[in-house]
Amino acid sequence: MVTNLIHYRVGDAVEWGVVADAKITPLQGSYPSTAELITTGEQDWRAARDRAPAHRLDAVTVLSPITTPCRVICQGANYRQHAIESGMDPDARAFNLFFDKTDAAVTGAHDPVTRPAHVRLLDFEIELALVIGRRIDAPVTITDADLPGYVFAVTIANDLSARDVQLPQGQFLKGKSYRGFCPRHVLESRHSRPSQTRHRCLNAHISVPRYFRWAHDGIAP
């Protein structure tokens, strides 16, 4: 079963809730961070699915469901055509391209983005983002069987890039980490097996376990 979790502001209050049919049922507990929601909020959000909603989605301000501080690890050239467009041979790649965005870039899905005055080539890419729900502090091998114990949810992220900084300077972190360069939407928490989930994104079929294993081959989030 899928639960859509939302982080939002209504009046002066910042709350978490379950959203369905453009209506929000608030959670009863207080969760200052996404980590606390993941570790202590499950009974709360499961119970909220059976209560009546209290807010319309269009009456609240949607916040990033990923609170900061956090770590944002990205995979570059993450589907075949993108690799070709980047001048790579997708059949002869000996490694996968990873880079970070700083958490200063994290923002809500509908927040305005200010283009830095010196940036002329502002680009965007819609990405599938995995929300890790378990602490990883050492190299680990993830299998299809234990994947659900690591991936808490998926969400949609917008990977904004200052290409005229990133490409000529060769600096992914700098070109992709300006404030507001990583908007996030609601969390889609799947209580079915995410290893059997395939998403179509940017004309590419993305297998969740395959990309997750690549991303955590010795990289600590």
Side-chain angles (χ1 to χ4, degrees):
M1 184 174 183
V2 174
T3 301
N4 291 315
L5 295 166
I6 186 171
H7 194 207
Y8 62 96
R9 179 182 293 108
V10 55
D12 294 328
V14 173
E15 301 176 346
W16 292 89
V18 171
V19 60
D21 299 324
K23 297 178 181 179
I24 301 170
T25 303
L27 302 191
Q28 295 179 334
S30 176
Y31 308 98
S33 69
T34 307
E36 291 179 64
L37 174 73
I38 292 171
T39 56
T40 65
E42 182 172 359
Q43 290 186 345
D44 199 355
W45 77 66
R46 286 183 181 272
R49 296 195 307 236
D50 298 323
R51 297 197 304 269
H55 309 297
R56 299 191 323 273
L57 182 59
D58 61 6
V60 306
T61 300
V62 180
L63 306 176
S64 169
I66 307 302
T67 55
T68 57
C70 66
R71 185 168 183 190
V72 183
I73 302 176
C74 308
Q75 182 176 6
N78 56 6
Y79 61 96
R80 184 177 183 84
Q81 188 58 39
H82 191 8
I84 294 172
E85 293 168 352
S86 301
M88 304 175 185
D89 181 350
D91 298 317
R93 294 174 63 185
F95 60 90
N96 295 289
L97 174 64
F98 294 101
F99 58 90
D100 287 275
K101 294 172 80 86
T102 70
D103 61 9
V106 173
T107 189
H110 305 298
D111 291 348
V113 176
T114 300
R115 176 179 58 81
H118 62 283
V119 172
R120 292 292 178 267
L121 189 54
L122 184 61
D123 198 3
F124 69 94
E125 299 166 282
I126 305 303
E127 305 283 4
L128 175 71
L130 307 184
V131 181
I132 308 307
R134 180 172 171 180
R135 184 177 182 84
I136 301 174
D137 53 15
V140 61
T141 298
I142 307 300
T143 66
D144 288 357
D146 58 20
L147 180 68
Y150 288 89
V151 177
F152 168 71
V154 296
T155 185
I156 298 299
N158 194 342
D159 176 22
L160 293 167
S161 306
R163 298 297 193 195
D164 46 353
V165 174
Q166 173 199 346
L167 299 178
Q169 297 183 19
Q171 298 200 65
F172 280 69
L173 181 70
K174 181 179 177 182
K176 290 175 171 283
S177 293
Y178 292 98
R179 296 188 183 280
F181 271 30
C182 191
R184 305 290 187 90
H185 210 270
V186 299
L187 297 180
E188 182 182 283
S189 180
R190 291 184 172 268
H191 304 301
S192 59
R193 287 172 54 84
S195 60
Q196 297 175 351
T197 300
R198 295 181 70 87
H199 294 262
R200 184 166 179 81
C201 180
L202 293 177
N203 300 317
H205 285 291
I206 298 175
S207 171
V208 171
R210 180 185 181 198
Y211 281 85
F212 185 76
R213 284 197 295 270
W214 285 351
H216 288 83
D217 184 13
I219 302 176

